[in-house]
Amino acid sequence: MMKLSPNVRRAWNHRESGMRLKARIIFDYELLYLEKGQLTIRIGDTIHTIMPGDIILFKPGKEHEFIESSGECWMPHIHFDALHEDDFEEVPINYKNLSECSQKEKGWIREEVLESVLQIPDVIRVENHGEILKTLQQLIHTYERRDLDFFILQKSLALKLIYLIVKGLEASQASGLKVHDKSLDATATLIMERFDQTILLEELSKTATLSVFHYSRLFKQKYGLTPHQFQMRYRIEKAKDLMIYSPLSVTSIAEKVGYGSVYAFSKAFKQMEGISPRKFIQTFTGMNEL
């Protein structure tokens, strides 16, 4: 995810009656929002009926075709690379199937990361689609004008689109998460307030009024970490602040953030940060521990 650096190849408000497009692959990504009308499309071996509010993400090298449409279709969409590519300006939008592409053209097919890393499907149905449309229209408006700020703004808007889609998918997959959102936040606050103490999972689940199993599952779904991992991360962040801004020894810092021994603290720190506490102090302060 840290390598995401989208570049928009083309962006436009496409309106078409009788929309059809023969089977093809594209080298980049295409994000299409159906604002009006109805589409029947094939992606791989699957036929999809696309209705207003649906979003399609066509992926690099994955064959698709537009079979038919109903009514005038309003289809604001963009072509973009998800990762920065040095040959970005050289690569065109493709309308051929894979067998018709030359070896050079096949070499232009981008690495697929949005599904493999972020689990974004081909067809996206999310409640926040209106916000996604608004951002997509803003990006199209920016592309059409392409002033001096375009390079920065198009990246930020494309990243925002990806973010909104991911958050929309998370929300649609986590109906139980909304119900327990406040109680999960309360347990996260409890962990942060008592980061230097051992807090039993039973106490946290009781605070959230959930079973231990249900609480653990929802907590990880919301924060991406188990409660124990969440506390570990918070402890290490507190320790880093103390190492940079206080004169305390590593042994004293280990005690302050809840570790029973400097060995246990050093092991946890190196596991999370990739370097020892003493190396961290030396790197970020230029000083050796006293």
Side-chain angles (χ1 to χ4, degrees), residues 31 53-57 59 112-132 160-178 221-222:
L31 182 72
D54 289 348
I55 301 159
I56 314 163
L57 182 64
K59 313 232 172 89
E112 200 297 297
V113 294
L114 296 185
E115 182 173 4
S116 61
V117 177
L118 295 176
Q119 287 78 56
I120 300 178
D122 298 329
V123 178
I124 302 156
R125 295 184 172 101
V126 287
E127 290 186 7
N128 65 336
H129 65 87
E131 191 176 2
I132 292 169
K160 183 179 180 182
L161 277 173
I162 294 169
Y163 170 79
L164 289 172
I165 289 169
V166 169
K167 298 311 288 184
L169 289 168
E170 287 177 355
S172 66
Q173 294 165 4
S175 57
L177 202 56
K178 290 183 180 179
Q221 198 171 338
K222 179 174 174 63

Side-chain angles (χ1 to χ4, degrees), residues 28-271:
D28 55 0
Y29 287 94
E30 181 181 2
L31 182 72
L32 183 151
Y33 182 101
L34 186 61
E35 193 174 358
K36 182 180 178 181
Q38 181 177 317
L39 291 169
T40 302
I41 62 171
R42 177 180 63 82
I43 302 176
D45 296 325
T46 306
I47 305 293
H48 300 274
T49 299
I50 307 301
M51 306 296 290
D54 289 348
I55 301 159
I56 314 163
L57 182 64
F58 297 110
K59 313 232 172 89
K62 192 169 186 178
E63 188 177 88
H64 63 270
E65 67 175 311
F66 286 70
I67 299 171
E68 63 180 0
S69 66
S70 177
E72 184 181 37
C73 293
W74 294 12
M75 302 168 287
H77 62 297
I78 60 172
H79 275 265
F80 67 100
D81 286 349
L83 308 179
H84 177 75
E85 304 282 355
D86 290 337
D87 62 351
F88 169 72
E89 294 184 352
E90 178 185 354
V91 175
I93 295 172
N94 187 54
Y95 293 93
K96 298 182 287 187
N97 64 41
L98 186 62
S99 64
E100 296 171 325
C101 293
S102 67
Q103 284 302 116
K104 181 179 180 180
E105 289 172 326
K106 290 175 183 177
W108 285 335
I109 298 173
R110 302 320 199 189
E111 178 185 358
E112 200 297 297
V113 294
L114 296 185
E115 182 173 4
S116 61
V117 177
L118 295 176
Q119 287 78 56
I120 300 178
D122 298 329
V123 178
I124 302 156
R125 295 184 172 101
V126 287
E127 290 186 7
N128 65 336
H129 65 87
E131 191 176 2
I132 292 169
L133 174 61
K134 182 179 178 181
T135 303
L136 180 59
Q137 294 285 20
Q138 185 181 357
L139 179 49
I140 293 169
H141 177 90
T142 301
Y143 176 86
E144 289 172 342
R145 283 145 186 82
R146 274 176 279 188
D147 60 19
L148 294 177
D149 298 324
F150 172 72
F151 179 75
I152 298 173
L153 187 53
Q154 61 96 19
K155 281 185 181 291
S156 67
L157 290 173
L159 282 171
K160 183 179 180 182
L161 277 173
I162 294 169
Y163 170 79
L164 289 172
I165 289 169
V166 169
K167 298 311 288 184
L169 289 168
E170 287 177 355
S172 66
Q173 294 165 4
S175 57
L177 202 56
K178 290 183 180 179
V179 175
H180 300 290
D181 198 55
K182 288 185 179 179
S183 59
L184 291 169
D185 279 343
T187 64
T189 300
L190 182 63
I191 292 169
M192 290 187 287
E193 288 175 347
R194 293 167 52 188
F195 69 90
D196 58 341
Q197 303 171 29
T198 299
I199 308 176
L200 296 176
L201 195 56
E202 288 77 9
E203 181 181 352
L204 293 169
S205 61
K206 187 176 180 180
T207 301
T209 62
L210 292 164
S211 70
V212 170
F213 172 79
H214 198 198
Y215 167 72
S216 299
R217 182 176 62 82
L218 290 179
F219 189 96
K220 186 168 184 180
Q221 198 171 338
K222 179 174 174 63
Y223 296 104
L225 301 167
T226 66
H228 175 68
Q229 290 169 337
F230 186 92
Q231 184 183 53
M232 289 269 290
R233 185 182 68 180
Y234 194 74
R235 282 179 171 182
I236 297 302
E237 290 302 318
K238 284 289 186 182
K240 285 160 64 178
D241 286 343
L242 290 170
M243 283 188 274
I244 294 172
Y245 300 113
S246 82
L248 294 174
S249 68
V250 171
T251 301
S252 297
I253 291 170
E255 292 173 357
K256 272 191 167 292
V257 299
Y259 285 90
S261 71
V262 70
Y263 172 77
F265 168 67
S266 297
K267 183 179 179 181
F269 190 94
K270 189 169 184 179
Q271 184 179 10

